[in-house]
Amino acid sequence: MITPAMTPPVRTFAEFAPLVPELAVVFGAFALLMLDLFLDDRRRIVTQALAIATLLAAAALVAGGVGGHGVVMEGLFQRDTVSDVLKFSVLAVSAISMAYAWSYLRERDLYRGEIPVLMLFASVGMMLLVSAGNLAMVYLGLELLALCSYALVAIDRDSPLASEAGMKYFVLGSLASGLLLYGMSLVYGATGTLDLDGIRAAAGAVAGEDRTLLLTGLVFVVVGVAFKFGAAPFHMWLPDTYHGAPTPITIFIGSAPKLAAFGMAFRLFDGGLAPLQEYWQLLIAVLAALSLVIGNVVALAQTNLKRMLAYSTVSHVGFLFLGISGGGADGFAAAMFYAISYALMSAASFGAIVMLSRRGFEADRIEDFKGLNARHPWMAFLVMVTMASLAGVPPFLGFWAKVAVLRAAVEGDLMWLAIVGIVCAVIGAYYYLRVIKVMYFDEPVGEPVRPRGGPLRAVFAFNALALLGLGLFWSPVMAWCQQAFAG
């Protein structure tokens, strides 16, 4: 017999209104899943186009503030300005990533109807992650993103390289999830709550054995977050995964998830574990230094462009950690600005490989770009803009992103870390400028490279030129990020 006290609460639409963008993407994913049953391989571009339209429509809902801000589902989900900025960026970058996929995957007979569906569900996971108000929602969003990513990386079942990459990604990703979950369980054991606001209130008053338990949980949480970012020394999955996955999949997993990982770090550190800032700030600073040094030094020795970009990702995570370790509203705003900038730069850098590849030729070695300017000056210019932005050359977007996080580290009394960042930025410029040197000063070799045309060329041009345009007008983006943390 059900008593009145046992009656579940009645849910109204108003309570779910802040989830309208997430629900739009979920409904779009299920609709595409059903539609794909009635399409053959030649007409599957329809699902590709509709998936991109779904992401852009959800981005418009976020930008328009549809559903409004609020905390719903007993604190599991919170929508605020921070989450809106990150969601809009995640959806826009995911749409760009998906636009690179069609021609490359169709040419290699790899395009399947489940690819856009998996990307949509992964995007939902990222959206939930940046709006998490509870440790349970953090883990739900993270695993939804991770499970979709594992399947996408291993989508080419006939490729030993892709299968190996998918297996490594799955095993090490599962290990990272286990460490993070264990850390969350210790935090729960010390504070008695899964709610991030409750953890924040309880963490400052915890003492004795419970405080030891809480600090141990903090260490495991930091390690789990570092794994998901690909920070050194927990980066072992990243080079093989980036190298083995089909390049459009690498674009997706190497761009938007960094924004989601930043959102997770913000919710956990500034939200739940803020009273322990002196501890996690030091841990993040050490990880930043290791990532900067290891990522840049190892990238110098790479001849494969995808592996070079993978190790450079480790170094960029180090720069992003500069902002987080700086702490405070300005530090997190700088880190958010860097995450948005890097997501765009990463999509363009791997997009250059997609643009020059063809069936039987991946264009993933640095020597494949030799003499590109002599044959395709416009394409060489776009690649040059991308590499210069990654190197932090003014006035491109990457320069202002590096300045922002270095300033945040200095203001956070981490001068030693800022010095490490400056030295590593100089080291990192070498391997990016090496690609530019190869394009403009080396003689063309081998069969002429033919960049893709049509809509894909327009997508790549938009992506690359955005790095120049936003570099010239970076202030509104930075102000947007600062406004998100102003409250």
Side-chain angles (χ1 to χ4, degrees):
M1 179 177 180
I2 299 177
T3 63
M6 298 172 59
T7 304
V10 177
R11 305 294 185 187
T12 64
F13 175 76
E15 185 171 356
F16 291 98
L19 285 93
V20 166
E22 285 82 0
L23 294 174
V25 180
V26 169
F27 290 149
F30 280 119
L32 290 180
L33 195 60
M34 297 300 296
L35 177 63
D36 184 66
L37 295 173
F38 305 97
L39 297 176
D40 56 28
D41 289 340
R42 291 178 301 170
R43 293 186 293 173
R44 282 209 166 95
I45 193 173
V46 174
T47 60
Q48 180 78 2
L50 290 177
I52 294 174
T54 299
L55 291 171
L56 295 178
L61 292 174
V62 173
V66 177
H69 293 171
V71 179
V72 297
M73 300 169 63
E74 281 78 41
L76 282 171
F77 183 94
Q78 56 181 323
R79 182 175 173 188
D80 51 21
T81 308
V82 172
S83 64
D84 277 358
V85 173
L86 289 172
K87 285 178 191 178
F88 179 84
S89 303
V90 162
L91 292 165
V93 173
S94 296
I96 293 172
S97 302
M98 199 173 290
Y100 283 114
W102 168 252
S103 58
Y104 179 100
L105 296 176
R106 183 189 59 174
E107 191 177 68
R108 291 157 177 77
D109 299 323
L110 294 177
Y111 191 85
R112 304 287 184 272
E114 57 265 29
I115 288 179
V117 174
L118 286 170
M119 287 186 172
L120 288 179
F121 278 121
S123 299
V124 173
M126 289 186 271
M127 296 169 75
L128 294 176
L129 192 55
V130 302
S131 282
N134 187 290
L135 293 180
M137 184 60 77
V138 170
Y139 198 72
L140 175 64
L142 183 63
E143 289 309 295
L144 181 57
L145 167 61
L147 291 173
C148 294
S149 300
Y150 301 151
L152 288 169
V153 169
I155 201 71
D156 186 3
R157 291 172 292 182
D158 297 327
S159 169
L161 197 61
S163 299
E164 180 186 356
M167 184 60 69
K168 288 181 178 178
Y169 191 22
F170 173 72
V171 172
L172 294 174
S174 300
L175 174 62
S177 297
L179 292 172
L180 184 62
L181 185 60
Y182 183 61
M184 289 178 177
S185 68
L186 294 180
V187 171
Y188 170 73
T191 61
T193 179
L194 294 174
D195 185 74
L196 291 176
D197 288 337
I199 292 172
R200 182 171 185 166
V206 170
E209 292 182 356
D210 284 344
R211 185 166 181 81
T212 302
L213 190 66
L214 181 61
L215 292 176
T216 305
L218 170 65
V219 172
F220 278 98
V221 168
V222 170
V223 170
V225 170
F227 255 113
K228 294 304 180 181
F229 266 109
F234 309 106
H235 66 288
M236 63 286 291
W237 61 271
L238 199 145
D240 289 336
T241 301
Y242 279 25
H243 184 203
T247 306
I249 304 302
T250 303
I251 295 175
F252 180 73
I253 65 174
S255 54
K258 295 297 183 286
L259 291 161
F262 166 76
M264 175 177 65
F266 169 70
R267 296 299 181 192
L268 290 173
F269 298 143
D270 189 70
L273 300 170
L276 305 178
Q277 180 174 346
E278 61 179 306
Y279 299 101
W280 62 252
Q281 184 179 41
L282 177 61
L283 292 173
I284 294 295
V286 172
L287 291 172
L290 289 173
S291 299
L292 288 166
V293 174
I294 293 174
N296 281 299
V297 171
V298 179
L300 290 172
Q302 304 303 311
T303 57
N304 183 281
L305 186 57
K306 288 177 75 172
R307 294 189 74 86
M308 186 199 84
L309 291 172
Y311 281 106
S312 80
T313 296
V314 178
S315 72
H316 284 287
V317 169
F319 279 109
L320 194 153
F321 277 9
L322 285 178
I324 296 177
S325 60
D330 291 339
F332 279 104
M336 178 190 280
F337 180 59
Y338 199 96
I340 295 171
S341 302
Y342 177 70
L344 290 172
M345 293 188 291
S346 178
S349 60
F350 288 106
I353 298 175
V354 171
M355 285 297 300
L356 298 179
S357 65
R358 59 181 182 273
R359 191 182 184 98
F361 176 71
E362 291 301 317
D364 61 353
R365 298 176 301 169
I366 295 176
E367 65 181 29
D368 294 332
F369 287 73
K370 282 187 175 181
L372 182 62
N373 181 63
R375 291 171 170 171
H376 303 285
W378 175 242
M379 183 58 56
F381 171 74
L382 294 178
V383 177
M384 183 271 292
V385 167
T386 302
M387 294 298 157
S389 185
L390 285 166
V393 176
F396 300 104
L397 181 60
F399 170 77
W400 301 110
K402 284 184 171 63
V403 169
V405 293
L406 288 170
R407 182 173 59 187
V410 172
E411 292 176 351
D413 295 327
L414 294 170
M415 179 61 72
W416 67 271
L417 186 57
I419 294 173
V420 172
I422 293 171
V423 172
C424 290
V426 174
I427 296 173
Y430 170 79
Y431 52 81
Y432 293 122
L433 297 179
R434 180 175 59 178
V435 178
I436 299 175
K437 176 260 180 187
V438 163
M439 292 191 302
Y440 281 89
F441 298 102
D442 286 12
E443 293 296 325
V445 295
E447 185 179 348
V449 177
R450 298 182 180 88
R452 299 177 185 274
L456 189 58
R457 178 173 292 189
V459 171
F460 180 63
F462 170 80
N463 193 176
L465 292 177
L467 304 179
L468 176 59
L470 292 176
L472 295 174
F473 303 98
W474 61 275
S475 295
V477 181
M478 188 65 198
W480 193 30
C481 295
Q482 291 173 334
Q483 181 185 358
F485 295 96

